[in-house]
């Protein structure tokens, strides 16, 4: 078997190999990753979490997701946009999240920018960068970290004032939210999408 191909989990189901390291990953892989996500608030949450993940492993964010949701008012754009310096100070001491000043500031700033966008604009902008379906990756080595579409999405988001949205973060968002299907060819989740 080639390294990086779909592997059988304890239940015999073939999955992307990254999904088999923890039970949290199995659930996330099987029930969320790669499934279409729509709605400005839902996409704001995913975009924010992907930004917080930058430089860290996704499991770190996944295990703190409920803490993030509590700390950031359920990632309601209108709520986060009203956060004050007091809220920022609270977030910097919140052990339930990643206490990175730049990422916290970016999340609040992004919410403020997004309040000026018409409803549905974030969803429309992100989904307008979905590439045409492509051949299923055979191995993890076939899965890119950046694509022309993620680079274009990153540029579009930055042009409209958003922060912490580089091309790699944009591609991770595209994977997580179903704009691309990067489940490996033999992965059982690929056929469900």
């Amino acid at each position: 078997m080639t390294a990086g191909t779909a592997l059988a989990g304890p239940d015999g189901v073939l999955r992307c190999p990254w999904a088999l390291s923890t039970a949290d990953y199995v659930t996330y892989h099987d029930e969320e990753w790669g499934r279409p996500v729509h709605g400005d608030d839902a996409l704001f949450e995913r975009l924010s979490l992907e930004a917080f993940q930058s430089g860290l492993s996704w499991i770190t964010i996944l295990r703190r997701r409920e803490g993030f949701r509590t700390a950031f008012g359920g990632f309601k754009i209108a709520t986060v946009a009203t956060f004050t310096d007091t809220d920022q100070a609270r977030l910097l001491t919140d052990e339930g999240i990643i206490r990175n000043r730049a990422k916290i500031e970016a999340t609040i700033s992004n919410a403020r920018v997004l309040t000026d966008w018409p409803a549905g604009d974030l969803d429309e902008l992100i989904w307008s960068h979905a590439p045409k379906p492509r051949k299923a990756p055979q191995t993890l080595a076939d899965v890119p970290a950046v694509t022309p579409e993620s680079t274009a999405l990153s540029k579009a988001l930055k042009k409209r004032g958003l922060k912490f949205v580089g091309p790699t973060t944009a591609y991770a968002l595209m994977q997580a939210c179903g704009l691309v299907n990067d489940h490996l060819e033999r992965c059982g989740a690929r056929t469900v999408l």
Side-chain angles (χ1 to χ4, degrees), residues 11 15 21-22 35 49 61 63 70 72 78 82 88-89 98 114-115 126 156-157 160 175:
D11 57 2
R15 292 183 178 87
S21 61
T22 72
R35 296 181 187 272
L49 293 176
I61 304 304
R63 289 182 173 159
T70 299
F72 283 97
T82 66
Q88 184 172 321
I98 303 302
L114 290 169
T115 59
I126 289 173
L157 292 168
R160 297 218 26 207
Q175 291 174 303

Side-chain angles (χ1 to χ4, degrees), residues 101-177:
R101 181 179 303 276
K103 293 175 183 182
I104 290 169
E105 289 174 354
T107 302
I108 296 168
S109 173
N110 288 348
R112 289 176 181 157
V113 167
L114 290 169
T115 59
D116 291 335
W117 293 22
D121 256 23
L122 180 62
D123 189 301
E124 183 179 326
L125 176 65
I126 289 173
W127 278 90
S128 73
H129 288 83
K132 293 180 179 165
R134 62 178 188 259
K135 185 178 176 197
Q138 301 291 309
T139 70
L140 293 179
D142 298 329
V143 178
V146 174
T147 64
E149 294 86 2
S150 74
T151 300
L153 174 57
S154 171
K155 286 179 182 176
L157 292 168
K158 287 178 182 178
K159 183 177 181 180
R160 297 218 26 207
L162 298 186
K163 301 175 181 177
F164 257 95
V165 290
T168 303
T169 297
Y171 193 69
L173 174 76
M174 294 170 83
Q175 291 174 303
C177 295

Side-chain angles (χ1 to χ4, degrees), residues 6 9 18 20 34 37 53 56 58 61 66 69 95 101-102 122 135 141-142 145 161 163 172-173 176-177 184 189:
W18 62 263
L20 297 174
V37 174
Q53 185 271 328
L56 303 170
W58 178 246
I61 304 304
E66 289 310 315
R69 286 175 172 161
E95 294 181 8
R101 181 179 303 276
L122 180 62
K135 185 178 176 197
D142 298 329
K163 301 175 181 177
L173 174 76
C177 295
L184 300 181

Side-chain angles (χ1 to χ4, degrees), residues 28-39:
Y28 177 69
H29 172 273
D30 290 0
E31 298 175 11
E32 287 186 66
W33 192 73
R35 296 181 187 272
V37 174
H38 286 281

